[in-house]
Tab-separated table of all heavy atoms in Angstrom:
chain	number	residue	atom	x	y	z
R	1	THR	N	2.519	18.839	-4.020
R	1	THR	CA	2.366	20.193	-3.478
R	1	THR	C	3.692	20.659	-2.884
R	1	THR	O	4.026	21.840	-2.979
R	1	THR	CB	1.239	20.242	-2.429
R	1	THR	OG1	1.493	19.266	-1.411
R	1	THR	CG2	-0.119	19.967	-3.069
R	2	ASP	N	4.462	19.750	-2.299
R	2	ASP	CA	5.792	20.106	-1.786
R	2	ASP	C	6.712	20.533	-2.920
R	2	ASP	O	7.449	21.512	-2.795
R	2	ASP	CB	6.428	18.935	-1.028
R	2	ASP	CG	5.885	18.751	0.372
R	2	ASP	OD1	5.127	19.623	0.853
R	2	ASP	OD2	6.219	17.729	0.996
R	3	ASN	N	6.706	19.774	-4.044
R	3	ASN	CA	7.535	20.159	-5.192
R	3	ASN	C	7.217	21.589	-5.620
R	3	ASN	O	8.120	22.387	-5.886
R	3	ASN	CB	7.288	19.247	-6.404
R	3	ASN	CG	7.699	17.812	-6.205
R	3	ASN	OD1	7.016	16.905	-6.700
R	3	ASN	ND2	8.792	17.552	-5.514
R	4	GLU	N	5.943	21.896	-5.682
R	4	GLU	CA	5.530	23.228	-6.134
R	4	GLU	C	5.956	24.317	-5.161
R	4	GLU	O	6.210	25.445	-5.574
R	4	GLU	CB	4.018	23.255	-6.369
R	4	GLU	CG	3.624	22.443	-7.590
R	4	GLU	CD	2.131	22.428	-7.856
R	4	GLU	OE1	1.340	22.878	-6.975
R	4	GLU	OE2	1.750	21.971	-8.950
R	5	ARG	N	6.060	23.979	-3.890
R	5	ARG	CA	6.492	24.954	-2.889
R	5	ARG	C	8.005	24.961	-2.704
R	5	ARG	O	8.522	25.757	-1.922
R	5	ARG	CB	5.829	24.659	-1.544
R	5	ARG	CG	4.322	24.886	-1.537
R	5	ARG	CD	3.695	24.556	-0.207
R	5	ARG	NE	4.279	23.321	0.329
R	5	ARG	CZ	4.433	23.024	1.606
R	5	ARG	NH1	4.033	23.851	2.518
R	5	ARG	NH2	4.965	21.879	1.993
R	6	GLY	N	8.712	24.047	-3.388
R	6	GLY	CA	10.163	23.980	-3.269
R	6	GLY	C	10.622	23.367	-1.959
R	6	GLY	O	11.682	23.699	-1.446
R	7	VAL	N	9.835	22.423	-1.428
R	7	VAL	CA	10.115	21.813	-0.134
R	7	VAL	C	10.478	20.340	-0.337
R	7	VAL	O	9.876	19.646	-1.164
R	7	VAL	CB	8.873	21.937	0.787
R	7	VAL	CG1	9.025	21.136	2.057
R	7	VAL	CG2	8.604	23.396	1.095
R	8	ALA	N	11.451	19.843	0.425
R	8	ALA	CA	11.883	18.447	0.355
R	8	ALA	C	10.904	17.559	1.121
R	8	ALA	O	10.654	17.783	2.300
R	8	ALA	CB	13.284	18.304	0.930
R	9	THR	N	10.382	16.539	0.453
R	9	THR	CA	9.393	15.646	1.061
R	9	THR	C	10.044	14.452	1.739
R	9	THR	O	9.582	14.000	2.783
R	9	THR	CB	8.393	15.161	-0.006
R	9	THR	OG1	7.916	16.285	-0.735
R	9	THR	CG2	7.218	14.445	0.622
R	10	GLY	N	11.111	13.917	1.156
R	10	GLY	CA	11.799	12.773	1.750
R	10	GLY	C	10.874	11.602	1.997
R	10	GLY	O	10.170	11.155	1.100
R	11	TRP	N	10.837	11.101	3.238
R	11	TRP	CA	10.012	9.951	3.581
R	11	TRP	C	8.589	10.337	3.977
R	11	TRP	O	7.798	9.470	4.335
R	11	TRP	CB	10.666	9.144	4.691
R	11	TRP	CG	11.736	8.217	4.203
R	11	TRP	CD1	12.389	8.255	3.003
R	11	TRP	CD2	12.269	7.104	4.909
R	11	TRP	NE1	13.298	7.249	2.925
R	11	TRP	CE2	13.263	6.516	4.092
R	11	TRP	CE3	12.039	6.556	6.162
R	11	TRP	CZ2	13.989	5.395	4.471
R	11	TRP	CZ3	12.780	5.440	6.545
R	11	TRP	CH2	13.728	4.868	5.706
R	12	ASN	N	8.242	11.616	3.927
R	12	ASN	CA	6.849	11.995	4.149
R	12	ASN	C	6.020	11.452	2.986
R	12	ASN	O	6.544	11.267	1.885
R	12	ASN	CB	6.698	13.511	4.233
R	12	ASN	CG	7.200	14.066	5.547
R	12	ASN	OD1	7.428	13.335	6.507
R	12	ASN	ND2	7.400	15.378	5.597
R	13	PRO	N	4.730	11.231	3.197
R	13	PRO	CA	3.905	10.639	2.131
R	13	PRO	C	3.847	11.488	0.858
R	13	PRO	O	3.961	10.974	-0.242
R	13	PRO	CB	2.519	10.508	2.755
R	13	PRO	CG	2.699	10.713	4.220
R	13	PRO	CD	3.987	11.437	4.431
R	14	GLY	N	3.673	12.796	1.024
R	14	GLY	CA	3.543	13.675	-0.131
R	14	GLY	C	2.156	13.576	-0.753
R	14	GLY	O	1.537	12.518	-0.756
R	15	VAL	N	1.675	14.703	-1.257
R	15	VAL	CA	0.354	14.779	-1.876
R	15	VAL	C	0.532	15.296	-3.296
R	15	VAL	O	1.173	16.331	-3.512
R	15	VAL	CB	-0.562	15.741	-1.078
R	15	VAL	CG1	-1.901	15.919	-1.765
R	15	VAL	CG2	-0.738	15.253	0.349
R	16	LEU	N	-0.043	14.584	-4.266
R	16	LEU	CA	0.021	15.064	-5.640
R	16	LEU	C	-0.766	16.368	-5.760
R	16	LEU	O	-1.870	16.488	-5.228
R	16	LEU	CB	-0.571	14.040	-6.613
R	16	LEU	CG	0.176	12.723	-6.785
R	16	LEU	CD1	-0.559	11.836	-7.790
R	16	LEU	CD2	1.609	12.957	-7.231
R	17	SER	N	-0.188	17.324	-6.466
R	17	SER	CA	-0.891	18.572	-6.752
R	17	SER	C	-1.852	18.316	-7.916
R	17	SER	O	-1.845	17.239	-8.522
R	17	SER	CB	0.121	19.656	-7.137
R	17	SER	OG	0.735	19.319	-8.374
R	18	GLU	N	-2.651	19.307	-8.248
R	18	GLU	CA	-3.535	19.175	-9.415
R	18	GLU	C	-2.705	18.878	-10.664
R	18	GLU	O	-3.075	18.041	-11.492
R	18	GLU	CB	-4.378	20.440	-9.601
R	18	GLU	CG	-5.463	20.605	-8.560
R	18	GLU	CD	-6.451	19.437	-8.551
R	18	GLU	OE1	-6.864	18.980	-9.640
R	18	GLU	OE2	-6.807	18.972	-7.444
R	19	ARG	N	-1.581	19.557	-10.780
R	19	ARG	CA	-0.675	19.313	-11.906
R	19	ARG	C	-0.158	17.881	-11.890
R	19	ARG	O	-0.090	17.212	-12.919
R	19	ARG	CB	0.480	20.312	-11.845
R	19	ARG	CG	1.494	20.151	-12.935
R	19	ARG	CD	2.526	21.276	-12.848
R	19	ARG	NE	3.722	20.895	-13.551
R	19	ARG	CZ	4.934	21.276	-13.234
R	19	ARG	NH1	5.128	22.069	-12.195
R	19	ARG	NH2	5.962	20.887	-13.928
R	20	GLY	N	0.219	17.394	-10.703
R	20	GLY	CA	0.709	16.023	-10.564
R	20	GLY	C	-0.342	14.989	-10.927
R	20	GLY	O	-0.024	13.947	-11.520
R	21	ILE	N	-1.581	15.252	-10.571
R	21	ILE	CA	-2.688	14.355	-10.938
R	21	ILE	C	-2.832	14.307	-12.459
R	21	ILE	O	-2.943	13.223	-13.051
R	21	ILE	CB	-3.998	14.801	-10.250
R	21	ILE	CG1	-3.888	14.568	-8.738
R	21	ILE	CG2	-5.204	14.082	-10.853
R	21	ILE	CD1	-4.995	15.212	-7.922
R	22	ARG	N	-2.780	15.470	-13.106
R	22	ARG	CA	-2.847	15.525	-14.583
R	22	ARG	C	-1.671	14.765	-15.199
R	22	ARG	O	-1.843	14.005	-16.153
R	22	ARG	CB	-2.850	16.965	-15.082
R	22	ARG	CG	-4.194	17.645	-15.054
R	22	ARG	CD	-4.221	18.942	-15.841
R	22	ARG	NE	-3.102	19.840	-15.601
R	22	ARG	CZ	-2.998	20.679	-14.571
R	22	ARG	NH1	-3.967	20.738	-13.684
R	22	ARG	NH2	-1.936	21.449	-14.431
R	23	GLN	N	-0.468	14.992	-14.649
R	23	GLN	CA	0.724	14.324	-15.172
R	23	GLN	C	0.586	12.801	-15.088
R	23	GLN	O	0.933	12.092	-16.036
R	23	GLN	CB	1.970	14.750	-14.386
R	23	GLN	CG	2.405	16.163	-14.628
R	23	GLN	CD	3.451	16.618	-13.618
R	23	GLN	OE1	3.519	16.131	-12.490
R	23	GLN	NE2	4.280	17.568	-14.030
R	24	ALA	N	0.107	12.311	-13.960
R	24	ALA	CA	-0.037	10.866	-13.777
R	24	ALA	C	-1.030	10.285	-14.776
R	24	ALA	O	-0.771	9.242	-15.396
R	24	ALA	CB	-0.461	10.557	-12.341
R	25	LYS	N	-2.144	10.960	-14.963
R	25	LYS	CA	-3.141	10.489	-15.936
R	25	LYS	C	-2.574	10.533	-17.352
R	25	LYS	O	-2.770	9.600	-18.139
R	25	LYS	CB	-4.414	11.325	-15.834
R	25	LYS	CG	-5.190	11.068	-14.555
R	25	LYS	CD	-6.396	11.976	-14.465
R	25	LYS	CE	-7.183	11.730	-13.193
R	25	LYS	NZ	-8.314	12.670	-13.056
R	26	GLU	N	-1.862	11.604	-17.677
R	26	GLU	CA	-1.253	11.726	-19.007
R	26	GLU	C	-0.188	10.658	-19.218
R	26	GLU	O	-0.047	10.125	-20.324
R	26	GLU	CB	-0.658	13.121	-19.202
R	26	GLU	CG	-1.706	14.198	-19.357
R	26	GLU	CD	-1.140	15.616	-19.264
R	26	GLU	OE1	0.100	15.792	-19.240
R	26	GLU	OE2	-1.953	16.560	-19.212
R	27	LEU	N	0.570	10.335	-18.171
R	27	LEU	CA	1.577	9.289	-18.274
R	27	LEU	C	0.935	7.978	-18.707
R	27	LEU	O	1.439	7.288	-19.606
R	27	LEU	CB	2.318	9.101	-16.951
R	27	LEU	CG	3.307	7.942	-16.907
R	27	LEU	CD1	4.437	8.150	-17.913
R	27	LEU	CD2	3.854	7.769	-15.503
R	28	GLY	N	-0.184	7.637	-18.084
R	28	GLY	CA	-0.889	6.415	-18.458
R	28	GLY	C	-1.267	6.401	-19.926
R	28	GLY	O	-1.138	5.376	-20.605
R	29	THR	N	-1.678	7.539	-20.438
R	29	THR	CA	-2.026	7.642	-21.856
R	29	THR	C	-0.779	7.526	-22.725
R	29	THR	O	-0.780	6.823	-23.740
R	29	THR	CB	-2.741	8.990	-22.125
R	29	THR	OG1	-3.923	9.042	-21.322
R	29	THR	CG2	-3.111	9.130	-23.590
R	30	LEU	N	0.302	8.179	-22.334
R	30	LEU	CA	1.531	8.172	-23.119
R	30	LEU	C	2.154	6.781	-23.241
R	30	LEU	O	2.808	6.482	-24.244
R	30	LEU	CB	2.562	9.131	-22.515
R	30	LEU	CG	2.263	10.622	-22.651
R	30	LEU	CD1	3.237	11.441	-21.804
R	30	LEU	CD2	2.336	11.046	-24.111
């Protein structure tokens, strides 16, 4: 969600966006 907002996450945990969740699942398939 930070990537999508253009914000630097650094050492914060960060939360996958809906797009990020799809990307991660697709990566496993690829």
